[in-house]
Coordinates of all heavy atoms in Angstrom, one line a residue:
M340 N 98.6 111.9 141.7 CA 98.8 111.6 143.1 C 97.7 112.0 144.0 O 97.3 113.2 143.9 CB 100.2 112.2 143.4 CG 100.6 111.9 144.8 SD 102.4 112.3 145.1 CE 102.1 113.8 145.8
V341 N 97.2 111.1 144.8 CA 96.1 111.6 145.8 C 96.8 111.9 147.0 O 97.5 111.0 147.6 CB 95.1 110.4 145.9 CG1 94.1 110.8 146.8 CG2 94.5 110.1 144.5
I342 N 96.5 112.9 147.7 CA 97.0 113.3 148.9 C 95.8 113.4 149.9 O 94.7 114.2 149.6 CB 97.6 114.8 149.0 CG1 98.8 114.7 148.0 CG2 98.1 115.2 150.3 CD1 99.5 116.2 147.7
S343 N 95.8 112.5 150.8 CA 94.7 112.5 151.8 C 94.8 113.6 152.9 O 95.9 114.0 153.2 CB 94.7 111.1 152.5 OG 95.8 110.9 153.2
G344 N 93.7 114.0 153.3 CA 93.7 115.0 154.3 C 94.1 114.6 155.6 O 94.7 115.4 156.4
D345 N 93.9 113.3 156.0 CA 94.4 112.8 157.3 C 95.8 112.3 157.3 O 96.2 112.0 156.1 CB 93.4 111.9 158.0 CG 93.3 110.7 157.1 OD1 94.2 110.4 156.2 OD2 92.4 109.9 157.3
G346 N 96.5 112.3 158.3 CA 97.8 111.8 158.4 C 97.9 110.3 158.8 O 99.0 109.9 159.2
S347 N 96.8 109.6 158.7 CA 96.8 108.2 159.1 C 97.7 107.4 158.3 O 98.3 106.4 158.9 CB 95.3 107.7 159.3 OG 94.8 107.6 157.9
S348 N 97.6 107.5 157.0 CA 98.4 106.6 156.1 C 100.0 106.8 156.3 O 100.7 105.9 156.4 CB 98.2 106.9 154.6 OG 98.4 108.2 154.4
R349 N 100.2 108.2 156.6 CA 101.6 108.5 156.8 C 102.1 107.9 158.2 O 103.2 107.4 158.3 CB 101.9 110.0 156.8 CG 103.3 110.4 157.2 CD 103.5 111.9 157.1 NE 104.6 111.9 156.1 CZ 104.9 113.0 155.3 NH1 104.1 114.0 155.5 NH2 105.8 113.0 154.5
S350 N 101.2 108.0 159.3 CA 101.6 107.6 160.5 C 101.7 106.0 160.5 O 102.5 105.4 161.1 CB 100.6 108.1 161.7 OG 99.3 107.4 161.3
K351 N 100.8 105.3 159.6 CA 100.8 103.9 159.6 C 102.1 103.5 158.9 O 102.8 102.5 159.3 CB 99.7 103.4 158.8 CG 99.5 101.8 158.8 CD 98.3 101.5 157.9 CE 97.1 101.4 158.9 NZ 95.9 100.8 158.3
T352 N 102.5 104.2 157.8 CA 103.8 103.9 157.1 C 104.9 104.0 158.1 O 105.8 103.3 158.1 CB 103.8 104.7 155.9 OG1 102.7 104.5 155.1 CG2 105.2 104.5 155.1
T353 N 105.0 105.1 158.9 CA 106.1 105.3 159.9 C 106.1 104.2 160.8 O 107.2 103.8 161.2 CB 105.9 106.7 160.5 OG1 105.7 107.7 159.5 CG2 107.0 106.9 161.5
M354 N 104.9 103.8 161.4 CA 104.8 102.7 162.3 C 105.4 101.5 161.6 O 106.3 100.8 162.4 CB 103.4 102.5 162.8 CG 103.3 101.5 164.0 SD 102.6 99.9 163.7 CE 101.5 100.0 162.3
W355 N 105.1 101.1 160.5 CA 105.5 99.9 159.9 C 107.0 100.0 159.6 O 107.8 99.0 159.7 CB 104.9 99.6 158.6 CG 103.6 98.9 158.7 CD1 102.3 99.5 158.5 CD2 103.4 97.6 159.1 NE1 101.5 98.5 158.9 CE2 102.0 97.3 159.2 CE3 104.2 96.5 159.4 CZ2 101.4 96.1 159.6 CZ3 103.7 95.3 159.7 CH2 102.4 95.1 159.8
G356 N 107.6 101.2 159.3 CA 109.0 101.4 159.1 C 109.7 101.2 160.4 O 110.8 100.4 160.3
W357 N 109.3 101.7 161.5 CA 110.0 101.5 162.7 C 109.9 100.1 163.2 O 110.8 99.5 163.8 CB 109.4 102.5 163.9 CG 109.9 103.9 163.7 CD1 109.3 105.0 163.3 CD2 111.3 104.3 163.9 NE1 110.1 106.1 163.4 CE2 111.4 105.7 163.6 CE3 112.5 103.6 164.4 CZ2 112.5 106.3 163.8 CZ3 113.6 104.3 164.4 CH2 113.7 105.7 164.2
L358 N 108.8 99.5 162.8 CA 108.6 98.0 163.3 C 109.6 97.2 162.5 O 110.3 96.4 163.1 CB 107.2 97.5 163.0 CG 106.9 96.1 163.3 CD1 106.9 95.9 164.8 CD2 105.7 95.7 162.7
L359 N 109.8 97.5 161.2 CA 110.8 96.7 160.4 C 112.3 96.9 160.9 O 113.1 96.0 160.9 CB 110.6 97.1 158.9 CG 109.4 96.4 158.4 CD1 109.2 96.9 156.9 CD2 109.4 94.9 158.4
V360 N 112.5 98.3 161.2 CA 113.9 98.6 161.7 C 114.1 97.8 163.0 O 115.3 97.3 163.2 CB 114.1 100.1 161.7 CG1 115.2 100.4 162.6 CG2 114.0 100.7 160.4
G361 N 113.2 97.8 163.9 CA 113.2 97.1 165.2 C 113.4 95.6 165.0 O 114.5 95.0 165.7
I362 N 112.7 95.0 164.1 CA 112.8 93.5 163.9 C 114.3 93.2 163.3 O 115.0 92.3 163.6 CB 111.7 93.1 162.9 CG1 110.5 93.1 163.7 CG2 112.0 91.6 162.5 CD1 109.1 92.8 162.8
G363 N 114.7 94.1 162.3 CA 116.1 93.9 161.7 C 117.1 94.1 162.8 O 118.1 93.4 162.7
S364 N 117.0 95.0 163.7 CA 118.0 95.2 164.7 C 118.0 94.1 165.6 O 119.1 93.6 166.0 CB 117.7 96.6 165.6 OG 117.7 97.6 164.7
L365 N 116.9 93.4 166.0 CA 116.9 92.3 166.9 C 117.5 91.1 166.1 O 118.3 90.3 166.8 CB 115.5 91.9 167.3 CG 114.8 92.9 168.4 CD1 113.3 92.5 168.5 CD2 115.5 92.9 169.6
V366 N 117.2 90.9 164.9 CA 117.9 89.9 164.2 C 119.5 90.1 164.1 O 120.3 89.2 164.3 CB 117.3 89.7 162.7 CG1 118.2 88.7 161.9 CG2 115.8 89.3 162.9
L367 N 119.8 91.2 163.8 CA 121.3 91.6 163.8 C 121.9 91.2 165.2 O 122.9 90.7 165.2 CB 121.5 93.0 163.4 CG 123.0 93.4 163.4 CD1 123.9 92.7 162.3 CD2 123.1 94.9 163.2
L368 N 121.2 91.7 166.2 CA 121.9 91.5 167.5 C 121.8 90.0 167.8 O 122.8 89.4 168.5 CB 121.1 92.2 168.7 CG 121.2 93.7 168.6 CD1 120.4 94.3 169.6 CD2 122.7 94.1 168.9
G369 N 120.9 89.2 167.5 CA 120.8 87.8 167.7 C 121.9 87.1 166.9 O 122.6 86.2 167.4
F370 N 122.1 87.5 165.6 CA 123.2 86.9 164.9 C 124.5 87.2 165.5 O 125.4 86.3 165.5 CB 123.2 87.4 163.5 CG 124.3 87.0 162.6 CD1 124.6 85.7 162.3 CD2 125.4 88.0 162.5 CE1 125.6 85.3 161.6 CE2 126.5 87.6 161.8 CZ 126.7 86.2 161.3
L371 N 124.8 88.5 165.9 CA 126.1 88.9 166.6 C 126.3 88.0 167.7 O 127.4 87.6 168.1 CB 126.0 90.3 166.8 CG 126.2 91.2 165.6 CD1 126.2 92.7 166.0 CD2 127.4 90.8 164.9
F372 N 125.3 87.8 168.6 CA 125.5 87.0 169.8 C 125.8 85.5 169.3 O 126.8 84.9 169.9 CB 124.3 86.9 170.6 CG 124.2 85.9 171.7 CD1 125.0 86.3 172.9 CD2 123.5 84.8 171.7 CE1 125.0 85.4 173.9 CE2 123.7 83.8 172.6 CZ 124.4 84.1 173.8
T373 N 125.0 84.9 168.4 CA 125.3 83.5 168.1 C 126.7 83.4 167.2 O 127.3 82.4 167.5 CB 124.2 82.9 167.2 OG1 124.2 83.7 166.0 CG2 123.0 83.0 168.0
A374 N 127.1 84.3 166.5 CA 128.3 84.1 165.6 C 129.6 84.5 166.5 O 130.5 83.9 166.2 CB 128.2 85.1 164.4
F375 N 129.5 85.6 167.4 CA 130.8 85.9 167.9 C 130.7 85.9 169.5 O 131.7 85.4 170.2 CB 131.0 87.5 167.6 CG 131.2 87.6 166.1 CD1 130.2 88.2 165.4 CD2 132.2 87.1 165.4 CE1 130.2 88.3 163.9 CE2 132.4 87.2 164.1 CZ 131.4 87.9 163.3
I376 N 129.6 86.4 170.2 CA 129.7 86.5 171.7 C 129.6 85.1 172.3 O 130.3 84.9 173.3 CB 128.6 87.5 172.1 CG1 128.9 88.9 171.5 CG2 128.5 87.5 173.6 CD1 127.8 89.8 171.8
S377 N 128.8 84.3 171.7 CA 128.5 82.9 172.4 C 129.8 82.1 172.5 O 130.0 81.3 173.3 CB 127.4 82.3 171.7 OG 127.8 81.8 170.4
H378 N 130.8 82.4 171.5 CA 132.0 81.6 171.6 C 132.9 82.0 172.7 O 133.9 81.4 173.0 CB 132.7 81.7 170.2 CG 131.8 81.3 169.1 ND1 131.7 79.8 168.8 CD2 131.1 81.8 168.2 CE1 130.9 79.7 167.8 NE2 130.6 80.8 167.4
L379 N 132.7 83.3 173.2 CA 133.5 83.7 174.3 C 133.1 83.4 175.7 O 133.8 83.4 176.6 CB 133.6 85.4 174.3 CG 134.1 85.9 173.0 CD1 134.0 87.4 173.0 CD2 135.5 85.5 172.6
L380 N 131.8 82.8 175.7 CA 131.3 82.4 177.0 C 131.7 81.0 177.3 O 132.1 80.2 176.5 CB 129.7 82.3 176.9 CG 129.0 83.7 176.5 CD1 127.6 83.6 176.4 CD2 129.4 84.8 177.7
P381 N 131.6 80.6 178.6 CA 132.0 79.2 179.0 C 131.1 78.3 178.4 O 129.9 78.6 178.0 CB 131.9 79.3 180.6 CG 131.1 80.3 180.9 CD 131.2 81.4 179.7
P382 N 131.5 77.0 178.3 CA 130.6 75.9 177.6 C 129.3 75.8 178.4 O 129.3 75.9 179.6 CB 131.5 74.6 177.7 CG 133.0 75.1 177.9 CD 132.8 76.5 178.6
S383 N 128.3 75.5 177.6 CA 127.0 75.4 178.2 C 126.5 74.0 178.1 O 126.9 73.2 177.4 CB 125.9 76.3 177.4 OG 124.8 76.1 177.9
N384 N 125.5 73.7 179.1 CA 125.0 72.4 179.3 C 123.7 72.2 178.3 O 123.4 71.1 178.0 CB 124.6 72.0 180.6 CG 125.8 71.9 181.6 OD1 126.9 71.5 181.0 ND2 125.6 72.2 182.8
Y385 N 123.2 73.3 177.7 CA 122.1 73.2 176.9 C 122.5 72.9 175.5 O 123.5 73.3 175.0 CB 121.4 74.6 176.9 CG 120.8 75.0 178.1 CD1 121.2 76.0 178.9 CD2 119.6 74.4 178.7 CE1 120.9 76.3 180.1 CE2 119.0 74.8 179.8 CZ 119.7 75.8 180.6 OH 119.1 76.1 181.8
T386 N 121.7 72.0 174.9 CA 122.1 71.4 173.6 C 122.2 72.4 172.6 O 123.2 72.5 171.8 CB 121.1 70.4 173.2 OG1 121.0 69.4 174.3 CG2 121.5 69.5 172.0
L387 N 121.2 73.4 172.4 CA 121.1 74.4 171.4 C 122.3 75.3 171.5 O 123.1 75.6 170.6 CB 119.8 75.1 171.4 CG 119.6 76.1 170.3 CD1 119.7 75.5 169.0 CD2 118.4 76.9 170.6
I388 N 122.6 75.8 172.6 CA 123.7 76.9 172.9 C 125.0 76.0 172.8 O 125.9 76.7 172.2 CB 123.5 77.4 174.3 CG1 122.1 78.2 174.4 CG2 124.7 78.4 174.6 CD1 121.9 78.9 175.7
A389 N 125.1 74.9 173.1 CA 126.4 74.2 173.0 C 126.6 73.9 171.4 O 127.8 74.0 171.0 CB 126.4 72.8 173.6
A390 N 125.6 73.7 170.7 CA 125.8 73.4 169.2 C 126.2 74.8 168.4 O 126.9 74.8 167.6 CB 124.4 73.0 168.5
I391 N 125.6 75.8 169.0 CA 126.0 77.2 168.4 C 127.4 77.6 168.8 O 128.2 78.1 167.9 CB 125.0 78.3 169.0 CG1 123.6 78.2 168.4 CG2 125.5 79.7 168.8 CD1 122.5 79.0 169.0
Q392 N 127.9 77.2 170.1 CA 129.2 77.6 170.5 C 130.2 76.7 169.7 O 131.4 77.2 169.5 CB 129.3 77.3 171.9 CG 128.7 78.3 172.8 CD 128.8 78.0 174.3 OE1 128.9 76.9 174.7 NE2 128.7 79.1 175.1
N393 N 129.9 75.6 169.2 CA 130.8 74.6 168.6 C 130.8 74.8 167.0 O 131.5 74.2 166.3 CB 130.5 73.2 168.8 CG 130.7 72.9 170.2 OD1 131.6 73.4 170.8 ND2 130.0 71.8 170.8
D394 N 129.8 75.7 166.6 CA 129.8 76.0 165.1 C 130.8 77.0 164.7 O 131.2 77.9 165.3 CB 128.3 76.6 164.8 CG 128.2 76.9 163.3 OD1 128.4 76.0 162.6 OD2 127.8 78.0 163.0
W395 N 131.4 76.6 163.5 CA 132.6 77.5 163.0 C 132.0 78.1 161.7 O 132.7 79.1 161.1 CB 133.8 76.7 162.7 CG 134.5 76.3 163.9 CD1 134.2 75.4 164.8 CD2 135.6 77.2 164.5 NE1 135.1 75.5 165.9 CE2 135.9 76.5 165.6 CE3 136.2 78.3 164.1 CZ2 136.9 77.0 166.6 CZ3 137.1 78.7 164.9 CH2 137.6 78.2 166.1
Y396 N 131.0 77.5 160.9 CA 130.6 78.0 159.7 C 130.2 79.4 159.6 O 130.7 80.3 158.9 CB 129.4 77.1 159.1 CG 129.0 77.5 157.8 CD1 129.7 77.2 156.7 CD2 127.7 78.1 157.7 CE1 129.2 77.5 155.3 CE2 127.3 78.5 156.3 CZ 128.0 78.3 155.3 OH 127.6 78.5 154.1
Y397 N 129.2 79.9 160.4 CA 128.5 81.2 160.4 C 129.4 82.2 161.1 O 129.5 83.4 160.8 CB 127.2 81.3 161.1 CG 126.2 80.5 160.4 CD1 125.7 79.2 160.7 CD2 125.6 81.1 159.3 CE1 124.8 78.6 160.0 CE2 124.7 80.5 158.5 CZ 124.2 79.1 158.8 OH 123.3 78.5 158.2
R398 N 130.4 81.7 161.8 CA 131.4 82.6 162.4 C 132.3 83.4 161.3 O 132.7 84.4 161.4 CB 132.3 81.9 163.4 CG 133.2 83.0 164.1 CD 134.2 82.3 164.9 NE 133.7 81.2 165.9 CZ 134.4 80.7 166.8 NH1 135.8 80.9 166.9 NH2 133.9 79.9 167.6
F399 N 132.5 82.6 160.3 CA 133.5 83.0 159.2 C 132.5 83.4 157.9 O 133.2 84.0 157.0 CB 134.4 82.0 158.8 CG 135.4 81.7 159.9 CD1 135.6 80.5 160.4 CD2 136.2 82.7 160.4 CE1 136.4 80.1 161.5 CE2 137.1 82.4 161.5 CZ 137.2 81.1 162.0
L400 N 131.4 83.1 157.8 CA 130.5 83.3 156.7 C 130.5 84.8 156.4 O 130.7 85.3 155.2 CB 129.1 82.7 156.8 CG 128.3 82.9 155.6 CD1 128.7 82.2 154.4 CD2 126.8 82.4 155.9
V401 N 130.0 85.7 157.2 CA 129.7 87.0 157.1 C 131.1 87.8 156.9 O 131.1 88.6 155.8 CB 129.0 87.7 158.3 CG1 128.8 89.2 158.3 CG2 127.6 86.9 158.4
P402 N 132.1 87.7 157.6 CA 133.4 88.4 157.3 C 133.9 87.9 155.9 O 134.4 88.8 155.2 CB 134.4 88.0 158.4 CG 133.5 87.6 159.5 CD 132.3 87.0 158.9
L403 N 133.7 86.8 155.5 CA 134.3 86.3 154.1 C 133.3 86.7 153.0 O 133.7 86.6 151.9 CB 134.6 84.8 154.2 CG 135.6 84.4 155.0 CD1 135.8 82.9 155.0 CD2 137.1 85.1 154.5
T404 N 132.1 87.1 153.4 CA 131.1 87.5 152.4 C 131.4 88.9 151.9 O 131.1 89.3 150.7 CB 129.7 87.4 152.9 OG1 129.5 86.0 153.2 CG2 128.8 87.7 151.9
L405 N 132.0 89.7 152.8 CA 132.3 91.2 152.5 C 133.2 91.4 151.2 O 133.0 92.2 150.3 CB 132.8 92.0 153.6 CG 131.8 92.0 154.8 CD1 132.5 92.7 156.0 CD2 130.6 92.9 154.3
P406 N 134.2 90.5 151.1 CA 135.0 90.8 149.9 C 134.4 90.3 148.7 O 134.5 90.9 147.6 CB 136.4 89.8 150.1 CG 136.5 89.7 151.5 CD 135.0 89.8 152.1
V407 N 133.5 89.3 148.7 CA 132.8 88.8 147.6 C 131.7 89.9 147.1 O 131.5 90.3 146.1 CB 132.1 87.5 147.8 CG1 131.1 87.1 146.8 CG2 133.1 86.4 148.2
L408 N 131.2 90.5 148.2 CA 130.3 91.6 147.9 C 130.9 92.9 147.2 O 130.4 93.4 146.3 CB 129.6 92.2 149.1 CG 128.7 93.4 149.1 CD1 127.5 93.0 148.4 CD2 128.4 93.8 150.5
V409 N 132.2 93.2 147.6 CA 133.0 94.2 146.9 C 133.2 93.9 145.5 O 133.0 94.8 144.6 CB 134.3 94.5 147.6 CG1 135.2 95.4 146.9 CG2 134.0 95.1 149.0
V410 N 133.6 92.7 145.2 CA 133.8 92.2 143.8 C 132.6 92.3 143.0 O 132.5 92.6 141.9 CB 134.5 90.8 143.8 CG1 134.6 90.3 142.4 CG2 135.9 90.9 144.4
A411 N 131.4 91.8 143.6 CA 130.1 91.8 142.9 C 129.7 93.3 142.6 O 129.2 93.6 141.4 CB 129.0 91.1 143.7
V412 N 129.9 94.2 143.4 CA 129.5 95.6 143.2 C 130.4 96.1 142.2 O 129.9 96.9 141.3 CB 129.6 96.4 144.6 CG1 129.5 97.9 144.3 CG2 128.5 96.0 145.5
Y413 N 131.7 95.9 142.2 CA 132.6 96.4 141.1 C 132.2 95.7 139.7 O 132.1 96.5 138.7 CB 134.0 95.9 141.3 CG 135.0 96.2 140.2 CD1 135.3 97.5 139.9 CD2 135.4 95.1 139.4 CE1 136.2 97.7 138.8 CE2 136.1 95.4 138.3 CZ 136.5 96.7 138.0 OH 137.4 96.9 136.9
F414 N 131.8 94.4 139.7 CA 131.5 93.9 138.4 C 130.0 94.5 137.9 O 129.9 94.8 136.7 CB 131.3 92.5 138.3 CG 132.7 91.7 138.2 CD1 133.0 90.7 139.1 CD2 133.6 92.2 137.3 CE1 134.2 90.0 138.9 CE2 134.8 91.5 137.2 CZ 135.1 90.5 138.0
H415 N 129.2 94.8 138.9 CA 128.0 95.5 138.5 C 128.2 96.9 138.0 O 127.7 97.2 136.8 CB 127.0 95.6 139.8 CG 125.8 96.3 139.4 ND1 124.8 95.9 138.7 CD2 125.4 97.6 139.9 CE1 123.8 96.7 138.6 NE2 124.1 97.8 139.3
W416 N 129.1 97.7 138.5 CA 129.4 99.1 138.1 C 130.1 98.9 136.7 O 129.8 99.6 135.8 CB 130.4 99.6 139.0 CG 130.9 101.0 138.5 CD1 130.3 102.2 138.6 CD2 132.3 101.2 137.9 NE1 131.2 103.1 137.9 CE2 132.4 102.5 137.6 CE3 133.3 100.3 137.6 CZ2 133.6 102.9 137.0 CZ3 134.4 100.7 137.0 CH2 134.5 102.1 136.7
L417 N 131.1 97.9 136.5 CA 131.7 97.8 135.2 C 130.7 97.4 134.1 O 130.7 97.9 133.0 CB 132.8 96.7 135.3 CG 133.6 96.3 134.1 CD1 134.4 97.6 133.7 CD2 134.4 95.2 134.3
S418 N 129.8 96.5 134.4 CA 128.7 96.1 133.3 C 127.8 97.3 132.9 O 127.4 97.4 131.9 CB 128.0 94.9 133.9 OG 127.2 95.2 135.0
M419 N 127.5 98.1 134.0 CA 126.6 99.3 133.6 C 127.4 100.3 132.8 O 126.8 100.9 131.9 CB 126.2 100.0 134.9 CG 125.1 99.2 135.7 SD 123.6 98.8 134.6 CE 123.1 100.5 134.4
K420 N 128.7 100.5 133.1 CA 129.6 101.3 132.3 C 129.7 100.8 130.8 O 129.5 101.5 129.8 CB 130.9 101.6 132.8 CG 131.0 102.4 134.0 CD 130.7 103.8 133.7 CE 130.8 104.7 134.8 NZ 130.4 106.2 134.6
L421 N 129.9 99.5 130.7 CA 130.1 98.9 129.3 C 128.7 99.0 128.6 O 128.6 99.2 127.3 CB 130.4 97.5 129.5 CG 132.0 97.3 130.0 CD1 132.2 95.8 130.1 CD2 132.8 97.9 129.0
F422 N 127.6 98.9 129.3 CA 126.2 98.9 128.7 C 125.9 100.3 128.2 O 125.4 100.5 127.1 CB 125.1 98.4 129.6 CG 123.8 98.4 129.1 CD1 123.3 97.6 128.1 CD2 122.9 99.5 129.6 CE1 122.0 97.7 127.7 CE2 121.6 99.6 129.0 CZ 121.2 98.8 128.1
R423 N 126.2 101.3 129.0 CA 126.0 102.7 128.6 C 126.9 103.3 127.5 O 126.3 104.1 126.7 CB 126.2 103.6 129.9 CG 125.0 103.5 130.9 CD 125.2 104.5 132.0 NE 124.2 104.3 133.0 CZ 124.1 104.9 134.1 NH1 124.9 106.0 134.2 NH2 123.1 104.9 134.9
H424 N 128.0 102.8 127.4 CA 129.1 103.4 126.4 C 129.1 102.4 125.3 O 130.0 102.6 124.5 CB 130.3 103.6 127.1 CG 130.2 104.6 128.2 ND1 129.9 106.0 127.9 CD2 130.4 104.5 129.5 CE1 129.9 106.7 129.0 NE2 130.1 105.8 130.0
A425 N 128.4 101.3 125.2 CA 128.4 100.4 124.1 C 127.8 101.0 122.7 O 126.8 101.7 122.7 CB 127.8 99.1 124.5

């Protein structure tokens, strides 16, 4: 393992980490707006916003994905237990 004397690589890694966290936060806020908050606003005259407000698919996609994720994690855990003790 090579340890460099300057902290430039560490600061660059930290900068990229915060950039990715910021981008992920913006995407999450954008999704929350389109999936939930835009449906509470009055109808819009803009075509794109009106299409988002009339959409029902993504409003239910994420909440219904959570039970599937729990089952998938359980099966992953079960398969690892069976593999280790086989």
Side-chain angles (χ1 to χ4, degrees):
M340 180 166 99
V341 177
I342 300 174
S343 62
D345 61 18
S347 66
S348 65
R349 175 173 241 160
S350 65
K351 186 181 274 190
T352 303
T353 304
M354 188 251 333
W355 278 106
W357 281 111
L358 180 69
L359 290 174
V360 167
I362 291 171
S364 299
L365 287 175
V366 168
L367 176 67
L368 289 174
F370 170 76
L371 289 176
F372 173 76
T373 57
F375 300 109
I376 298 172
S377 67
H378 298 285
L379 302 174
L380 299 175
S383 177
N384 292 331
Y385 294 108
T386 308
L387 180 63
I388 296 176
I391 290 171
Q392 286 178 335
N393 294 329
D394 182 48
W395 285 85
Y396 179 75
Y397 289 103
R398 186 188 306 184
F399 296 120
L400 178 67
V401 172
L403 291 176
T404 302
L405 293 176
V407 174
L408 179 67
V409 169
V410 171
V412 168
Y413 171 73
F414 281 135
H415 175 70
W416 172 81
L417 182 64
S418 65
M419 288 302 294
K420 286 292 182 183
L421 292 174
F422 177 76
R423 284 188 184 179
H424 299 291

